[in-house]
Structure formats: structure tokens, C-alpha cells
Amino acid sequence: MKSIIEKLTPYLKKVFNHLHESPEISWEETETTNYIKELFKQKDCKISPFENTTGLTIEVGKGKPVIAIRADIDALWQEVNGRFQANHSCGHDAHMTIVIGTLLTILENGSPENATFKFIFQPAEEKGTGALAFVDNGVADDVDYLYGMHLRPMEELKNGRFAPAIGHGAARFIQGEIQGDDAHGARPHLNGNAIQIGAELVQHLNNIQINPMVPHSIKMTSFHAGGKSANIIPGNATFSIDVRAQTNEVMNLLSEKVEQIVAMLANMHQVSITTSTGANVAAAVLDDDAINVMREAISESVGEENLEPVITTTGGDDFHFYTIKRPNIKATMLAIGCDLEPGLHHPNMAFNHEVIPKAVEILTRALYKTAKINQ
């Protein structure tokens, strides 16, 4: 296996460079989907694109169990050197390259005889909605095991070290709108000042008390009210709230608190305040069997000295919707230490590319080991 991966490494560098230089934002990954499809159209595998969404799945082998591996394929939209553009600052270009490398290694080394390996190239992870769309399309219906991966920042994992699971937290983005009437600056008693209501909302969010033993945070991340006329008290505003929690239970409790605060402020100021949920990413639901397989794959591939314990992080990933929506799936995510700096989602994020072939070996070994123990 190592010799195959060594032979593939120069090719994988080209694949990564293409993906890195051709980012596409969530639900617009058309060229990325076509590129991956073209890589394998002459190979001995089953390619399944979708009519209603970007992304695709590729299968090799036959029979049960079905062992899947997921790569997220979308990029972020952010300002880079003064210009807004699509940008792979979360490592999805590396994730795709690793999964492509894993599939190529298996095609070269030999497909399983009594198992199916399913490679899932999923859109819109950054929106928190891609996994749910793939579940709705039946992608996970036959899956028994599911593996994912994510590059980790330097402060979480040292270069060349790997952890068998990532305990992601939950994330939820709430959009809101305050609707009232404008008033003259000399007559503040005639309306509810949307800016004042927003300030009170921030204060009440800061006053929420949840069990401090469970990591969580809630904060306003945008607020827009008023215009160019300084003598008008604005009655309308829009705002966004970012909510994070290490467990799904605490996330639901925080969301309930937001609803209660919004209802109280709307009643007190006699205005309408409406909210809606944008991205809604669940906390990790991990499986001990899958973690044990990944732990063994790490030790056998890069040595036990490079094996780290399960990582707990406040970040989120829609990967975990697969196991929430299909509880029978055994799943975990490989954590990859790669000197990632300055940090995830930084416009100039960089990492050590030498971890790509190492991650390919770990995940390839994990797939084979999973097939073997289930025969």
C-alpha cells in the first residue's frame, strides 16, 4: 500500500493544486463535481451524480457492509487581500484530495470482495445543509460505517499527529428582524428605538446562565439599523446571532432562551421581532467501534507515538447529521495535525501538505480493516 501511495503522491499534488485554485462556494460546486467525475470515468467504479444537487458518490466493491468516506467539496466566500472571492480556507481542498487518493489507492491495490466502499463528495458543508440534502437523496440509507476527516489548527494538534475522532460542538445561526416605525429624534416616546432594542438584546444574551461545565457561547455577530439622517430614530433593524454548544441538549436550551428574550423585548417595546434559523449544525455523535478502527489504522500507519486522544473542539461540522438522521451508522472523523496556521477560516490559511499521503494511508487502512472485521 505504501508503495502505491508514494507513486500517487506527485499526482495528488497536481489534484490538490487544481482544487485549491478552483474553489466554488456552497451549492455552486459544478466544476468541482465535474472534475472529480472526470478523474474516475475511465476507472472500474460506479459513479453517481445527482440531478437536483452538486456533488456525487463513487462506489467500488460489492455487497455488505457498506463502508463510506466523506469529503466536503465547497469553499468559503470571504475577503482575500482586499477582494471577496471563493476561498478554500477550511481545508476542503485537502479533504477532497485525501479521499481521491484513498479511492485511487484502493483501485490500484484491489477492491473488497465482500464489502462496498462508498466515496461521498458532499456539497455545502459550510452552509450546514449539504449532509441533510444527501440524507434526503438516500446517500446514507445503505451505509453501515462512515468516516470523515478534518485538518486541525496547530493549537489543537501538532504536525504529523492524528486523533481517531473529533468531538465537534453544535452551531446554529439565527437571523432576526425588528419591525417598527421610525420617529423624529426629538420625540423618542413615539417609537421603539431599534438600536436600543438591539442593545438590550445583547445584554440579555450576555445574561443567559447555562451549566458552565458544558462549553457554550452566544453572541450577536451583525446588527444593521438607521440611515444617513441622524435625526431619525430607526424602528427597523436586522441582526444575526451565532450560537455554539458542545452538546445538542445545551444548544436547544440556548435557542429556547433566545426565543424567550425576543418575545419579551417585542412585548415590552410593542414591536415585531421575527427570527429564523440559518445553518444548524449538530454536535458530534461518534461510535466506539469506528473510533477503535481509526485508532488502529493510525497506529499501524504512522506509529503509536503519533496517535493522540479524541479531540474536543467548539467548531462544528454537518458530517454528524448522517448519524443523527441514520442512528444505525457507526461513524468517526480523523483529526489531522498539519501545522495549520494562522487558523481555520483565515483568508491566508496554510498547512503542511506532507500529511496528505499519510492521511490517505490511514483512511485506506481504516476502510480495509472495517471490511475485514465485518466479514
Side-chain angles (χ1 to χ4, degrees):
M1 185 191 306
K2 284 183 180 292
S3 61
I4 294 172
I5 296 172
E6 288 174 0
K7 185 175 69 173
L8 284 172
T9 297
Y11 178 72
L12 293 179
K13 289 180 180 178
K14 294 180 181 179
V15 169
F16 174 84
N17 289 336
H18 174 86
L19 294 169
H20 181 75
E21 294 166 3
S22 308
E24 295 177 299
I25 61 174
S26 301
W27 298 123
E28 297 182 18
E29 311 95 332
T30 304
E31 293 304 318
T32 303
T33 301
N34 290 337
Y35 174 74
I36 297 170
K37 184 165 58 176
E38 287 295 312
L39 289 180
F40 293 99
K41 71 175 184 179
Q42 301 300 326
K43 306 288 187 181
D44 183 18
C45 54
K46 178 185 176 183
I47 302 174
S48 301
F50 299 90
E51 293 183 359
N52 61 343
T53 180
T54 48
L56 71 156
T57 65
I58 302 176
E59 294 182 12
V60 297
K62 58 183 178 180
K64 296 285 281 183
V66 176
I67 306 159
I69 180 170
R70 186 211 72 163
D72 27 22
I73 69 173
D74 57 328
L76 290 156
W77 182 258
Q78 64 183 156
E79 186 176 0
V80 182
N81 298 324
R83 183 170 70 92
F84 277 92
Q85 63 182 67
N87 187 40
H88 275 303
S89 58
C90 201
H92 295 184
D93 44 4
H95 301 168
M96 285 186 280
T97 305
I98 291 166
V99 173
I100 288 168
T102 302
L103 176 49
L104 289 171
T105 301
I106 288 169
L107 289 171
E108 183 72 20
N109 192 59
S111 302
E113 296 182 357
N114 297 305
T116 301
F117 291 162
K118 178 182 285 191
F119 297 81
I120 301 170
F121 295 93
Q122 178 214 296
E125 187 278 328
E126 296 296 351
K127 292 291 186 182
T129 51
L132 289 171
F134 265 28
V135 169
D136 289 342
N137 274 328
V139 169
D141 288 353
D142 60 350
V143 173
D144 299 295
Y145 284 80
L146 175 64
Y147 298 112
M149 78 234 64
H150 210 297
L151 307 183
R152 304 316 303 161
M154 290 178 64
E155 62 266 25
E156 286 190 7
L157 200 59
K158 293 181 179 179
N159 181 50
R161 303 288 185 87
F162 299 85
I166 305 172
H168 281 111
R172 187 169 294 174
F173 308 144
I174 299 172
Q175 284 82 46
E177 184 174 2
I178 301 169
Q179 294 178 311
D181 297 314
D182 290 351
H184 193 286
R187 299 173 179 85
H189 61 292
L190 296 180
N191 82 329
N193 185 336
I195 296 175
Q196 178 180 329
I197 296 168
E200 292 177 17
L201 176 56
V202 170
Q203 187 61 50
H204 284 291
L205 294 178
N206 290 338
N207 288 337
I208 293 175
Q209 298 295 324
I210 303 291
N211 184 356
M213 298 300 291
V214 181
H216 63 275
S217 69
I218 183 167
K219 58 277 181 190
M220 190 176 289
T221 53
S222 76
F223 187 87
H224 301 276
K228 294 183 178 181
S229 298
N231 62 343
I232 294 177
I233 303 171
N236 300 309
T238 60
F239 60 88
S240 298
I241 300 172
D242 177 285
V243 190
R244 307 276 171 164
Q246 203 60 52
T247 68
N248 294 315
E249 293 75 16
V250 169
M251 172 58 73
N252 291 334
L253 183 56
L254 286 170
S255 298
E256 290 174 7
K257 295 287 187 182
V258 172
E259 293 176 4
Q260 293 167 3
I261 291 169
V262 164
M264 179 270 294
L265 289 174
N267 181 63
M268 183 170 69
H269 292 282
Q270 294 299 293
V271 297
S272 169
I273 307 178
T274 57
T275 61
S276 62
T277 300
N280 180 24
V281 179
V285 178
L286 303 171
D287 177 81
D288 288 340
D289 291 341
I291 292 172
N292 287 334
V293 169
M294 191 64 73
R295 185 179 287 114
E296 292 177 7
I298 293 170
S299 296
E300 294 174 15
S301 298
V302 297
E304 193 167 347
E305 66 275 11
N306 292 310
L307 170 65
E308 295 288 341
V310 173
I311 284 178
T312 298
T313 180
T314 53
D317 198 297
D318 77 346
F319 174 87
H320 306 294
F321 278 126
Y322 289 104
T323 47
I324 289 173
K325 295 296 183 179
R326 299 292 182 268
N328 61 293
I329 296 176
K330 298 175 180 290
T332 191
M333 296 187 77
L334 174 68
I336 302 170
C338 54
D339 275 345
L340 190 154
E341 58 179 350
L344 291 168
H345 290 202
H346 188 283
N348 302 121
M349 185 275 278
F351 69 98
N352 187 338
H353 295 186
E354 292 181 3
V355 302
I356 289 177
K358 294 178 182 179
V360 169
E361 181 177 354
I362 293 168
L363 288 166
T364 302
R365 198 178 297 276
L367 294 179
Y368 280 129
K369 288 178 73 68
T370 308
K372 185 176 181 179
I373 65 176
N374 283 275
Q375 289 181 358

